[in-house]
Every structure is written in structure tokens, then in C-alpha cells.
């Protein structure tokens, strides 16, 4: 089978699919499932994360790898014979910024492999059709590229208005019948459609109760992002490019990352027309634009004489608050800082971690905290956001000193002692800017 994720056979097959899709954009593809052989399954295995949580079967990646060749051959036989059964998805809950909980689905490891293989085939087809302004969960694209494009287009198009829209529970309310119809317009392969149907109807195991939702796709599933992109490519992207943009009087743009998107308009009239028609468009596909979280933002350059920036002239996108501010040279520029909801959540989680893990050895605590801080800097370390990074850094220092002090008889550690002992031996990584965007 080989020992690389880029098997010549697999890459050649996917390139061929991509070339045919680009050459015949109007053609409906009816034969893809036969390409899902053992080599493709092995490539999908190599691309699947090995450190994720286990699914309902309790099989870890390490256990599956002990007899990898045999397991993949058996899996291929079940797929070819139609005997493959998608196991239920294990339910987990993630706390949201507003205090509510977001449901996550954890598939079984073998199911992740099959989902990854299907994702690779669908990506080979649809990557030729997706627009450049779609950045979510696509190869070679990242949130920071979307942030850079957003800032550049606001300046280039003289954008004065931002349509900040929020789709209510997109992954939970996605209509499966409509999704199937949209996929069949381009990929009408019975084998792939049956697999997708099995995943959507596999059920959700929450604790000891098994549920079978009639709509939605589990967040956390490997195949869910590509299904979301296919659905929103038809519902939003194509509609905006082919029907909306030609009818607007001024310049405009759309930036989308999965179900999170913003639309920039040069003219107020265009922005208000978009705000009025967006809910109607999404309601046609049984989705709702959140009436309270969606708003029209006047995002124009502030008055040079007053130099006053109203809080209503800011908007959040991909975890950052975008606002106008003066540069060092005195000109108005768009800056970004960590959104307050994201900042509060990160600080709350880090404080709790120090509290609940104070029994660990100091060496292990230091290793974990360094990893968490570096991960935070890796995402939020962009220009103009250094102060927000410092707030997280100083909170971690304070939380670590506070909860390490609970292990002492006195119940606390003084700042001087913490600096001279703990911090001198186990320094935490200082904030730094990683992305120059």
C-alpha cells in the first residue's frame, strides 16, 4: 500500500477527476464511487487525525492501525458490496460565547476514514467550481487569508457598509432533501449518495439515548464541511455572483468561511436592498437569517475633523472585531482585535484549566500552558492585536500563580516568589505577532 499520503495512483485519479470536472462544468458525474479503492482508503487514513476523541465503538486510531492492511481491505469489501453501515455519532457539547452549548458529533475512527475518502472525491469535483471568496475548510486556504482579503477589498472598493448576517443553526437545520438535490445536479452517483444518506441518518448517541434527527448534519463530522460548502455555494455564492452583483449600482464583495459570511457594499442603497432580500433567499432553502444577530453596519472612514469612532461602526468576523483607527502616519486604516466574546471565553477556559489541573506536576502544567498559549498566539497573533494577546498572557500568569498557591500551606504565592522560582525555571511564551496581515 505504500507509506505516503500521496500515492501516485491516488493523486493521478484525483487529478483526472479534477481535470474532467473543469473541462465539462455542465456535465453530471455519475461514476465516482468505484474510485474508492484500498489505496484511496489508505490515503484517507493518512489524512485523518489520530488524536481525536473515540466514537461509539471505542476504537482508537492506534488500535485500528495494529491491523491496518487487514482492516482497510475488509472495509473496502463492505463498501463495494453495500454492506457498510454508518455507526451512530457520539454527541459532545461545546460551550458557546453566549453561554449556550453547541452540539458536536464524534464519528467512529473507521467512519472518519470513509468520510475523508468521500471528501477527497467531492473536493476534486467541486474545487473547480467554488469561488475564490469561499475560504472555509478548503485545501490551501485559511481564516487569515479571508481576513486579509476582507481588509484589502474594503480599502480597494471604498466600502462604506457591511452586511453582517448570521444563519441560525445552519448545521442543525440544513435540509437533507435539498442538500441531496443540490449534490445530484453535479454528482449523481448512487454509491456516494447512499453513503452520505447513511451518515445523515445514522443517529446521534447522547449519553445512553439514541436520537435520529430529521434535519441537519453533525458538526464535527469529516464530511460535514464539504457538504456545507456545496450547499452554500448554491444558496449564497452563485446567487450573489450571478443574480445580485450585476444588479447593484456600486462595488461590492462577499467573503465566506463555512456558514460565516460578510458582504461589503459601497452604497447604502445596495446594502439595504441586500439586507431585505437575504432572509427571503435563505427561507427558500428552509434556513433563517437571525433577526437580532444580523445587522447593517455603517463602516465608513470616520470624520477626520472629529476623529470619533462609534461602537456601532464595528463588526465581528472570524473571531476579530474590525474597526477604523489612525495609523502611526496619521491616516485612517482598518485594524483588527480579538472579539470580546472570544477573549472572555479564552480567558475563562484558561482560568478553569489552571484551577482544575493544579494537582498536576509543575513540569506538565508548564508544558500544557505553553501549548495553549502558543495555539492562541498562532490564531490571534495578527498586527494591531498585541494588547489583546498580552491580556491573555498576564491572565495565565495570574491564574497559574493563584492556583499553584493553593497547594501551599499559606494558600498563596507572592508575586516576588513566583517570579524568582516558578517563572524563572518555567517561563511562559511571551505574546508575539505571527501573521503580518
Amino acid at each position: 500500500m505504500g507509506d505516503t499520503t500521496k500515492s501516485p495512483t491516488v493523486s493521478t485519479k484525483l487529478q483526472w477527476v479534477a481535470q474532467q470536472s473543469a473541462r465539462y462544468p455542465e456535465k453530471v458525474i455519475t461514476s465516482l464511487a468505484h474510485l474508492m479503492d484500498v489505496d484511496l482508503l489508505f490515503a484517507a487514513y493518512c489524512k485523518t487525525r489520530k488524536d481525536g476523541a473515540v466514537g461509539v465503538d471505542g476504537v482508537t486510531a492506534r488500535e485500528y492501525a495494529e491491523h491496518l492492511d487487514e482492516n482497510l481491505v475488509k472495509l473496502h469489501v463492505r463498501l463495494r458490496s453495500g454492506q457498510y453501515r454508518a455507526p451512530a455519532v457520539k454527541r459532545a457539547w461545546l460551550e458557546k460565547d453566549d453561554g449556550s452549548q453547541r452540539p458536536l458529533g464524534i464519528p467512529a475512527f473507521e467512519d472518519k476514514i470513509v468520510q475523508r475518502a468521500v471528501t477527497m472525491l467531492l473536493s476534486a469535483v467541486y474545487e473547480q467550481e467554488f469561488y475564490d471568496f469561499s475560504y472555509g475548510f478548503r485545501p490551501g486556504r485559511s481564516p487569515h487569508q479571508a481576513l486579509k482579503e476582507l481588509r484589502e477589498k474594503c480599502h480597494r472598493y471604498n466600502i462604506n457598509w457591511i452586511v453582517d448576517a448570521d444563519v441560525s443553526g445552519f448545521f442543525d437545520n440544513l435540509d437533507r432533501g435539498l442538500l441531496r438535490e443540490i449534490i445530484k445536479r453535479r454528482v449523481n452517483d448512487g454509491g456516494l449518495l447512499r453513503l452520505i444518506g447513511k451518515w445523515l441518518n445514522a443517529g446521534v448517541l447522547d449519553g445512553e439515548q439514541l436520537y435520529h434527527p430529521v434535519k441537519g448534519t453533525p458538526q464535527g463530522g469529516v464530511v460535514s464541511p464539504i457538504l456545507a460548502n456545496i450547499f452554500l455555494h448554491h444558496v449564497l455564492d452563485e446567487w450573489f455572483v450571478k443574480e445580485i452583483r450585476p444588479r447593484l449600482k456600486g462595488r461590492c464583495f462577499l467573503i465566506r468561511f463555512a456558514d460565516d459570511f460578510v458582504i461589503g457594499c459601497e452604497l447604502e442603497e445596495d446594502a439595504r436592498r441586500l439586507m431585505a432580500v437575504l432572509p427571503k433567499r435563505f427561507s427558500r432553502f428552509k434556513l433563517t437569517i437571525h433577526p437580532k444577530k444580523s445587522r447593517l453596519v455603517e463602516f465608513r472612514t470616520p470624520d477626520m475633523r472629529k476623529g470619533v469612532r462609534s461602537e456601532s461602526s464595528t463588526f465581528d468576523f472570524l473571531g476579530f472585531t474590525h474597526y477604523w483607527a489612525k495609523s502611526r502616519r496619521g491616516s485612517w486604516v482598518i485594524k483588527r482585535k480579538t472579539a470580546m466574546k472570544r477573549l472572555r471565553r479564552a480567558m475563562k477556559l484558561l482560568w478553569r484549566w489552571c484551577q482544575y489541573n493544579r494537582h498536576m506536576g509543575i513540569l506538565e502544567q508548564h508544558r500544557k500552558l505553553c501549548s495553549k498559549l502558543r495555539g492562541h498566539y498562532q490564531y490571534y497573533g495578527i498586527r494591531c492585536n498585541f494588547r489583546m494577546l498580552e491580556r491573555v498572557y498576564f491572565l495565565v500568569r495570574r491564574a497559574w500563580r493563584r492556583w499553584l498557591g493553593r497547594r501551599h500551606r499559606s494558600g498563596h504565592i507572592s508575586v516576588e516568589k513566583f517570579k524568582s522560582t516558578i517563572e524563572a525555571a518555567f517561563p511562559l511564551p511571551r505574546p508575539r505577532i505571527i501573521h503580518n496581515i
Side-chain angles (χ1 to χ4, degrees):
M1 245 183 294
D3 57 356
T4 65
T5 59
K6 295 183 178 180
S7 165
T9 305
V10 172
S11 61
T12 302
K13 290 177 181 178
L14 295 178
Q15 288 176 8
W16 179 83
V17 173
Q19 290 170 359
Q20 295 300 309
S21 300
R23 185 177 300 176
Y24 306 105
E26 303 298 326
K27 182 179 179 181
V28 178
I29 300 174
T30 58
S31 181
L32 270 183
H34 71 282
L35 298 176
M36 200 183 307
D37 54 14
V38 178
D39 286 333
L40 182 64
L41 292 174
F42 176 72
Y45 163 81
C46 293
K47 290 177 177 289
T48 302
R49 286 185 56 180
K50 312 299 189 295
D51 57 348
V54 298
V56 294
D57 58 359
V59 177
T60 65
R62 178 178 297 181
E63 292 171 347
Y64 194 85
E66 290 177 356
H67 305 283
L68 180 61
D69 292 0
E70 180 183 350
N71 287 334
L72 292 181
V73 170
K74 291 181 178 179
L75 175 60
H76 178 247
V77 170
R78 281 183 283 140
L79 288 169
R80 291 298 299 270
S81 63
Q83 296 178 347
Y84 179 79
R85 297 185 63 182
V89 175
K90 186 178 179 180
R91 173 71 80 213
W93 295 93
L94 178 67
E95 185 176 346
K96 297 175 65 174
D97 297 331
D98 57 4
S100 60
Q101 290 186 316
R102 171 181 296 162
L104 293 178
I106 304 174
F109 182 76
E110 186 176 67
D111 204 39
K112 291 179 183 179
I113 297 174
V114 184
Q115 290 190 32
R116 177 64 62 190
V118 171
T119 298
M120 292 166 67
L121 291 175
L122 291 178
S123 294
V125 175
Y126 282 99
E127 277 297 319
Q128 324 307 316
E129 303 183 9
F130 290 157
Y131 292 102
D132 289 339
F133 55 74
S134 170
Y135 287 89
F137 306 106
R138 295 179 59 191
R141 291 174 173 263
S142 70
H144 298 97
Q145 292 176 337
L147 291 168
K148 181 180 180 181
E149 184 73 8
L150 172 60
R151 185 177 186 272
E152 289 179 351
K153 286 193 172 179
C154 281
H155 284 292
R156 189 188 314 151
Y157 294 167
N158 189 31
I159 296 300
N160 296 310
W161 296 86
I162 293 289
V163 178
D164 184 12
D166 182 88
V167 184
S168 298
F170 172 77
F171 286 93
D172 295 331
N173 296 303
L174 187 148
D175 187 270
R176 297 170 180 176
L178 291 173
L179 173 64
R180 184 182 179 90
E181 291 178 10
I182 291 172
I183 295 176
K184 288 174 69 174
R185 296 180 181 182
R186 192 69 171 100
V187 178
N188 193 12
D189 183 291
L192 287 187
L193 290 174
R194 279 191 295 272
L195 275 176
I196 293 173
K198 288 179 180 180
W199 290 320
L200 295 177
N201 296 290
V204 176
L205 185 65
D206 191 352
E208 296 182 354
Q209 293 198 353
L210 181 64
Y211 299 93
H212 287 86
V214 296
K215 59 182 179 179
T217 175
Q219 284 184 266
V222 177
V223 78
S224 294
I226 185 69
L227 297 182
N229 276 334
I230 293 171
F231 194 85
L232 287 172
H233 172 75
H234 174 76
V235 175
L236 179 62
D237 300 356
E238 280 190 334
W239 172 72
F240 178 80
V241 171
K242 296 180 180 179
E243 299 185 32
I244 294 299
R245 193 161 59 186
R247 291 179 169 86
L248 299 182
K249 297 180 180 180
R251 291 174 292 182
C252 63
F253 70 83
L254 166 66
I255 300 289
R256 182 174 67 82
F257 193 94
D259 62 325
D260 195 4
F261 67 93
V262 292
I263 302 175
C265 296
E266 184 179 14
L267 303 178
E268 180 180 2
E269 177 186 355
D270 291 340
R272 296 198 179 278
R273 288 175 61 191
L274 265 169
M275 279 296 291
V277 76
L278 263 177
K280 299 176 183 177
R281 172 66 179 179
F282 276 81
S283 66
R284 287 182 54 189
F285 296 89
K286 301 182 181 180
L287 292 172
T288 305
I289 297 294
H290 200 292
K292 294 183 179 179
K293 294 183 180 179
S294 302
R295 62 196 183 103
L296 183 61
V297 180
E298 185 177 3
F299 194 67
R300 63 174 73 248
T301 305
D303 189 333
M304 297 295 289
R305 290 172 296 178
K306 296 180 180 180
V308 176
R309 176 177 60 85
S310 171
E311 288 301 321
S312 62
S313 64
T314 68
F315 68 94
D316 293 348
F317 183 60
L318 296 181
F320 291 91
T321 297
H322 299 68
Y323 62 98
W324 285 98
K326 284 288 188 70
S327 69
R328 292 183 178 180
R329 297 181 179 180
S331 59
W332 288 105
V333 295
I334 298 173
K335 295 185 178 182
R336 282 74 58 91
K337 62 181 180 180
T338 308
M340 288 307 299
K341 289 183 179 179
R342 294 288 188 94
L343 181 67
R344 285 193 292 265
R345 184 177 69 179
M347 295 170 73
K348 181 180 179 181
L349 291 175
L350 287 166
W351 185 276
R352 285 183 175 178
W353 190 92
C354 292
Q355 177 183 2
Y356 297 149
N357 295 277
R358 62 182 184 270
H359 61 279
M360 281 186 180
I362 293 181
L363 184 62
E364 181 66 12
Q365 286 191 48
H366 176 256
R367 188 181 68 82
K368 294 279 188 179
L369 287 175
C370 287
S371 176
K372 291 178 182 295
L373 281 174
R374 291 193 186 101
H376 186 84
Y377 302 156
Q378 186 66 38
Y379 186 81
Y380 292 102
I382 69 173
R383 277 193 308 174
C384 308
N385 197 37
F386 189 78
R387 289 184 179 179
M388 291 296 191
L389 300 182
E390 280 190 324
R391 290 181 63 175
V392 174
Y393 169 75
F394 287 122
L395 174 122
V396 171
R397 288 182 62 208
R398 184 159 56 91
W400 200 23
R401 179 174 65 86
R402 163 77 177 275
W403 295 110
L404 279 180
R406 294 298 183 93
R407 294 165 44 161
H408 289 255
R409 291 181 179 179
S410 60
H412 73 280
I413 302 176
S414 66
V415 176
E416 294 75 16
K417 185 176 181 181
F418 179 76
K419 288 182 178 180
S420 61
T421 57
I422 305 298
E423 200 168 31
F426 304 101
L428 295 172
R430 301 282 302 192
R432 68 190 188 98
I433 300 301
I434 296 176
H435 305 282
N436 188 25
I437 59 174

